[in-house]
Amino acid sequence: MSAPCSLSEEASCTVMADVSDGAANQPTNEDKSDDVSKDGGDDDDFVSKVPAEGEKEKASDSSVYRYIKEDLFTSEIYKVEIRNLPKFIGFNDLKKFLSKHGLNPHKIKLINRQTFAFVTFKNEEERDKAMKMVHGMQWKGQVLSVRLAKPKADPILRKRVREEGEGEGGPPPSKRADGEEEEEPLSVQLANVVTPLWNVPYEEQLRRKEQEVEGVLQRLAKEIGSTNKAMLPWLFAQKGKYNNMCCPLEAIRPSPAQTEYRNKCEFLMSVGADGEDKTIGFRLGKYKGGSCAVVGPAQTCHVSAEAKRVVEDFQKFIRTTAYSVYSPETYEGHWKQLTVRTTRTKQAMAIVFFHPQKLDEDELGALKASMREFFTEGEGKGSGVTSLYFVREGQRTSPNPESLPCELVAGETSIHEELLGLKFQISPHSFFQVNTGAAELLYSAVGEWAQLDQDSVLLDVCCGTGTIGISLAKRVKKVIGIELSQEAVEDAKVNAKLNGLNNVEFHCGKAEDVFPNILNAVVSPSVTAIVDPPRAGLHTKVILAIRRAEHLKRLIYVSCNAKAAMTNFIDLCRAPSNRVRGAPFRPVRAMAVDLFPQTMHVEMLLLLERVDYKSQE
């Protein structure tokens, strides 16, 4: 529909990655995780990534690299360094280049103004394929070379080693200078991390977000001007009318609720920043910054009261058990993460992630039985949990969190939500917008812009549980949804039945694999596509298929990170070429919808229409 993150980061769908995908990090069940992440980390991590001759084994035995020996997935062991890159290339250039040659990187790290990059893959086979294919290849006059790269050091342990070194004769750790103000309360520190705009008036928040989208449209105008000269007369007129933007920007639509709006939250289990053991909450910092401490959500403004109640009761439960919280520093312990989903229908799903370590099935069975009793008959009965899942995080061997089986411990297998008068079933891994009220505004705008009628065929790409397509199904002849998550597709099919719809069908698979064939098979004078892709945007293959399908005249792009989707926007509008066939699109309407109050993140709608050269002539 990425690495652990605070709730504000998760809400934004920002492209990021932490130090590794596995043992060094807490787990995540991120919505719509992207295929390729821009790798995080400090530049000094990359001074020398490849160990010298004979040092490789020594490095892997070092404590700062021991996470790669754990049983959790980490792409760091499948990392290569590509050298002699052409000057001035960016992340998207390299991603496109690798994709063009059939390579599927997991993360890409480019350092500014350098001619080398670090790329990780999801398995040994893909890494070796890349090394064999790319080494010696020419790109823009440069002959590329590829070699194995050393994993990143675990930042917590690296920080520990540095501190120990300082303690053995170096300068003492820095302390607060005399007279410096006391630290802010933990609740304020946490608010600054997860809801950084909590003390900014809401009208000002909206102004900033609108300004952000305005900047995106101004940049897109420049990009269209440089990639499609035929559009320059039209573009000149647009920029003159709309403050240098490529199309009009409608007034931002505010969220109906500015507080307690999130219907899904991911909480980490760790030692509290206040020293309390077995605390459930949000991290004050990032793991790569050397921080593991968490603060409970009781005083956060974006988490619902229902979710806070579940967290409070779950914290009580884990404190009654003999099992400790998992430590990403020592790789010991068990309790890792709690995901809570709530609905307007007063249902709540709790998914707990637990590292089994070497516990046998009897011990795990007893733990699940005590959890079931606590939440069905004991102190947690009033928490409101109607669906309780247990996930063994320890056996994860792939980058996809959906590969982890969810074991139902108590209650129903799913929860149900109501949106625009329709009913939707939501399973543990299924994507559903985190702000239900604002999602209604978003989907209503999509329906208004789509200009649908009873002859229309609607393509819903990256459809999740089918919310957009199902909400518009009664207006059209047919809806075809495409979604990567099998669980979400099953939910979507159930949702179509729940709402009495028989003109809806859903297909499971990667959009780049499924979409071109479906698009070619659609025979209709009125085809509209709605795409709501992962944070990194649509795969190039999908964009090229859209461009080739000239019977597709209208496209509505829903983006949770417009800057990351800029390459998609440019490719949709660029001049035809040998690579990009078919008449281009041009943006005609845009709007921001605030799905994430108290943060800088915002959803953007962009309506694009196919350029009709004959009509222009």
Side-chain angles (χ1 to χ4, degrees):
M1 274 237 132
S2 108
C5 56
S6 72
L7 257 288
S8 62
E9 291 164 328
E10 188 235 331
S12 74
C13 298
T14 305
V15 181
M16 56 82 73
D18 226 326
V19 89
S20 79
D21 307 282
N25 295 311
Q26 297 288 355
T28 184
N29 241 0
E30 195 68 47
D31 291 340
K32 293 188 170 183
S33 60
D34 48 347
D35 290 332
V36 181
S37 301
K38 289 183 183 175
D39 199 1
D42 301 322
D43 287 356
D44 65 353
D45 289 342
F46 296 88
V47 174
S48 175
K49 277 300 176 186
V50 184
E53 191 73 28
E55 286 185 9
K56 189 170 183 180
E57 190 163 338
K58 179 182 175 184
S60 64
D61 286 341
S62 168
S63 63
V64 295
Y65 295 105
R66 70 184 180 200
Y67 71 89
I68 67 175
K69 291 186 171 184
E70 292 294 302
D71 57 354
L72 295 181
F73 172 81
T74 171
S75 61
E76 285 295 305
I77 60 177
Y78 308 122
K79 181 155 73 176
V80 300
E81 180 183 10
I82 303 179
R83 286 192 165 268
N84 208 31
L85 292 169
K87 289 183 179 179
F88 311 120
I89 67 156
F91 168 82
N92 287 315
D93 299 317
L94 183 53
K95 179 183 171 185
K96 271 188 188 178
F97 175 78
L98 295 172
S99 176
K100 179 182 175 182
H101 293 92
L103 300 173
N104 184 26
H106 183 56
K107 297 181 193 170
I108 294 173
K109 171 71 179 185
L110 268 169
I111 298 172
N112 291 338
R113 295 181 295 280
Q114 298 293 331
T115 57
F116 62 92
F118 296 95
V119 182
T120 66
F121 294 88
K122 296 179 182 179
N123 53 53
E124 186 176 2
E125 182 184 357
E126 289 185 20
R127 179 199 66 190
D128 293 349
K129 175 184 173 185
M131 292 187 70
K132 184 177 180 181
M133 184 176 292
V134 178
H135 188 72
M137 186 178 285
Q138 279 201 353
W139 186 23
K140 296 185 179 180
Q142 298 293 104
V143 180
L144 307 180
S145 67
V146 187
R147 60 179 179 174
L148 290 172
K150 193 169 76 174
K152 281 190 255 186
D154 183 309
I156 286 279
L157 296 175
R158 184 180 61 185
K159 182 180 178 184
R160 185 84 61 209
V161 169
R162 284 177 180 170
E163 288 174 351
E164 288 172 357
E166 289 169 351
E168 291 173 2
S174 60
K175 293 184 179 179
R176 187 163 48 237
D178 291 339
E180 192 173 326
E181 289 184 13
E182 289 291 318
E183 282 190 339
E184 293 176 316
L186 289 176
S187 59
V188 175
Q189 291 183 50
L190 182 62
N192 290 335
V193 172
V194 297
T195 50
L197 300 184
W198 64 275
N199 58 352
V200 176
Y202 191 55
E203 288 303 317
E204 172 63 14
Q205 293 185 32
L206 295 176
R207 189 194 66 79
R208 292 184 191 181
K209 295 181 184 191
E210 203 163 50
Q211 199 171 34
E212 177 85 6
V213 174
E214 186 174 308
V216 168
L217 297 174
Q218 288 170 340
R219 184 191 158 194
L220 180 55
K222 290 181 181 178
E223 296 287 354
I224 294 173
S226 62
T227 59
N228 195 333
K229 302 300 182 187
M231 280 202 202
L232 283 174
W234 167 83
L235 193 60
F236 182 76
Q238 294 289 97
K239 290 170 70 174
K241 286 190 287 186
Y242 305 118
N243 189 26
N244 289 319
M245 294 185 289
C246 54
C247 65
L249 174 62
E250 298 185 12
I252 186 171
R253 298 202 181 179
S255 172
Q258 287 89 57
T259 60
E260 298 192 8
Y261 61 84
R262 289 195 64 96
N263 59 40
K264 179 186 177 186
C265 295
E266 294 172 350
F267 304 97
L268 297 174
M269 297 172 162
S270 188
V271 175
D274 57 1
E276 283 278 344
D277 194 15
K278 297 185 184 178
T279 299
I280 303 177
F282 302 130
R283 270 199 193 130
L284 279 180
K286 296 179 181 178
Y287 186 89
K288 66 182 179 186
S291 171
C292 280
V294 301
V295 177
Q299 296 184 60
T300 55
C301 62
H302 65 325
V303 180
S304 69
E306 292 81 6
K308 290 176 182 177
R309 188 165 63 239
V310 174
V311 169
E312 183 181 357
D313 283 349
F314 230 104
Q315 186 169 277
K316 288 178 185 175
F317 172 72
I318 67 171
R319 287 179 177 177
T320 66
T321 70
Y323 304 111
S324 60
V325 291
Y326 177 78
S327 167
E329 182 180 349
T330 64
Y331 317 117
E332 297 170 348
H334 302 276
W335 298 110
K336 300 190 76 173
Q337 176 181 304
L338 176 69
T339 297
V340 180
R341 306 184 81 149
T342 55
T343 68
R344 292 167 163 179
T345 59
K346 303 304 178 186
Q347 292 182 310
M349 177 183 288
I351 310 164
V352 63
F353 292 77
F354 184 88
H355 195 310
Q357 302 290 3
K358 295 181 180 179
L359 298 180
D360 59 34
E361 285 300 321
D362 289 343
E363 290 174 289
L364 290 172
L367 173 62
K368 286 183 281 187
S370 66
M371 189 188 305
R372 183 185 306 113
E373 183 181 359
F374 184 89
F375 284 98
T376 57
E377 300 173 20
E379 197 173 347
K381 187 176 181 180
S383 65
V385 172
T386 57
S387 181
L388 179 60
Y389 279 96
F390 182 87
V391 179
R392 305 184 196 202
E393 172 70 12
Q395 80 278 29
R396 181 176 173 189
T397 57
S398 85
N400 186 358
E402 290 186 22
S403 64
L404 296 172
C406 290
E407 303 172 51
L408 183 66
V409 173
E412 303 295 324
T413 57
S414 57
I415 54 177
H416 293 83
E417 183 58 293
E418 292 179 355
L419 182 145
L420 293 174
L422 301 165
K423 296 178 182 178
F424 293 93
Q425 173 177 294
I426 306 170
S427 295
H429 290 311
S430 297
F431 172 77
F432 197 89
Q433 291 285 5
V434 299
N435 183 339
T436 307
E440 289 183 316
L441 296 179
L442 180 73
Y443 297 158
S444 296
V446 169
E448 175 193 334
W449 288 15
Q451 294 183 10
L452 304 170
D453 57 39
Q454 289 301 313
D455 293 323
S456 300
V457 173
L458 179 66
L459 302 173
D460 187 2
V461 185
C462 307
C463 65
T465 52
T467 45
I468 296 179
I470 287 172
S471 67
L472 301 175
K474 291 183 179 178
R475 304 189 196 180
V476 300
K477 181 180 179 180
K478 189 172 188 178
V479 172
I480 303 173
I482 301 168
E483 169 59 40
L484 176 62
S485 167
Q486 181 65 52
E487 195 173 272
V489 168
E490 295 305 317
D491 277 348
K493 290 177 178 177
V494 169
N495 292 336
K497 289 182 180 177
L498 279 175
N499 294 287
L501 301 171
N502 53 19
N503 64 335
V504 181
E505 63 182 57
F506 295 98
H507 300 265
C508 183
K510 290 183 177 179
E512 59 267 30
D513 296 335
V514 178
F515 184 71
N517 292 334
I518 289 176
L519 192 52
N520 292 334
V522 172
V523 180
S524 171
S526 177
V527 183
T528 299
I530 296 168
V531 298
D532 186 6
R535 63 195 63 183
L538 288 169
H539 194 284
T540 304
K541 286 182 182 177
V542 180
I543 297 295
L544 296 179
I546 289 172
R547 283 292 298 265
R548 284 194 303 269
E550 301 238 20
H551 59 299
L552 175 57
K553 304 295 185 184
R554 296 170 67 80
L555 174 70
I556 298 177
Y557 199 120
V558 183
S559 176
C560 55
N561 189 336
K563 288 182 178 178
M566 181 61 71
T567 301
N568 281 177
F569 301 156
I570 296 168
D571 282 347
L572 287 166
C573 300
R574 70 169 62 249
S577 65
N578 289 335
R579 184 181 77 91
V580 185
R581 300 180 184 275
F585 287 82
R586 64 184 179 193
V588 297
R589 198 172 181 182
M591 182 174 69
V593 182
D594 187 20
L595 264 72
F596 316 106
Q598 320 307 330
T599 79
M600 269 306 294
H601 314 307
V602 67
E603 204 91 1
M604 184 179 109
L605 279 183
L606 185 65
L607 172 62
L608 300 112
E609 291 183 349
R610 182 86 64 173
V611 174
D612 187 344
Y613 286 116
K614 292 178 182 178
S615 173
Q616 283 187 329
E617 289 170 6

